Amino acid sequence: MTTVDTTRTDVALGTLAATAEQTGCPPEPVRQMCDLADFTRGMDTTAITAIAGAGSMAMDAAAQIAPLVTEAAGALDGIGGGVPSQGLCDAGDALASHTGLCQDAVNSVGSCAGAMDQLTVGCAGEISALVEEVCGLASTALACGAGDAAAGMVEGAVTAVSEMLGQRNSGLEALVDITVGDCLPAADDML
C-alpha cells in the first residue's frame, strides 16, 4: 500500500468520522471502523516487491551453481569408482531442487505483494467514492433540516465501510497464508 493510498483512506475515514459526529451517530461503530483501517498501518507493498526482486536475482545466481557442480562431477568421473562423482551429482540435483523451491517462494512473495497492492488500492478507491457521495448527501440533508435522514445515511456508510475494511483485511490475511504455504517447502528443505 503506497503512502498516497494510505492518505486517501485516512482522509476518507476522517471525513466520514467528522460527518458521523456532526450528525450525532454513535461513536463506537466509528471507532471500530478506524480500528479495522489500522490493520494495514505500516504495510509497504513497494518494499515487499523490492525484496522479492532482490531475492529473484539471488535465485538466478544460485541456479547457475548447480550446473557447475554437475560439470565438476563429470570431471571426477572414474575417480574412486565414481563415488565422488555420484556424490557431486546428488548434491547438484539437491541444489537445483532447493533453488527451484526458493524461486517458487520468491515468486510467491512478489505475487502476494502485487495482489495486496491491488486489494488495498481498490478498497481505498471504493471507500473514497462512497464517503464522498454519502457525506455530500448528508451535508445536503443537514442543510435541509433532515438530520435523522443524514444520520441514517452516515451510519449506513460507517457499516458499509467497516464491512469493506473487514473483507480487505480477511483478503490480506488469506494472501499471506497462501504465501507462507508457498514458502514452507523451501524452508523445510533447508532444514
Side-chain angles (χ1 to χ4, degrees):
M1 183 172 212
T2 65
T3 304
V4 172
D5 298 309
T6 301
T7 302
R8 184 178 185 190
T9 301
D10 288 347
V11 167
L13 295 178
T15 301
L16 186 56
T19 305
E21 187 176 335
Q22 262 183 336
T23 60
C25 292
E28 185 57 24
V30 175
R31 187 195 60 73
Q32 290 172 350
M33 174 187 70
C34 293
D35 288 348
L36 287 167
D38 283 344
F39 185 82
T40 56
R41 189 75 50 216
M43 185 175 89
D44 184 356
T45 55
T46 305
I48 297 168
T49 301
I51 291 166
S56 186
M57 290 189 329
M59 289 301 98
D60 290 344
Q64 295 174 6
I65 296 172
L68 294 175
V69 172
T70 303
E71 192 175 314
L76 295 177
D77 200 25
I79 295 177
V83 172
S85 176
Q86 185 59 47
L88 279 176
C89 283
D90 292 346
D93 292 345
L95 182 59
S97 173
H98 180 69
T99 301
L101 292 172
C102 288
Q103 186 62 56
D104 291 345
V106 167
N107 291 343
S108 182
V109 169
S111 294
C112 178
M116 291 172 89
D117 199 43
Q118 283 182 322
L119 182 59
T120 55
V121 168
C123 186
E126 289 177 25
I127 288 170
S128 293
L130 175 67
V131 167
E132 186 177 325
E133 186 174 332
V134 168
C135 288
L137 291 171
S139 293
T140 302
L142 283 173
C144 294
D148 288 343
M153 282 188 283
V154 173
E155 284 183 48
V158 168
T159 300
V161 168
S162 294
E163 288 173 3
M164 283 190 248
L165 291 169
Q167 290 173 358
R168 177 202 67 182
N169 297 350
S170 294
L172 292 171
E173 286 178 338
L175 287 168
V176 170
D177 288 346
I178 290 167
T179 302
V180 167
D182 289 346
C183 293
L184 283 176
D188 290 344
D189 191 52
M190 287 177 65
L191 298 174

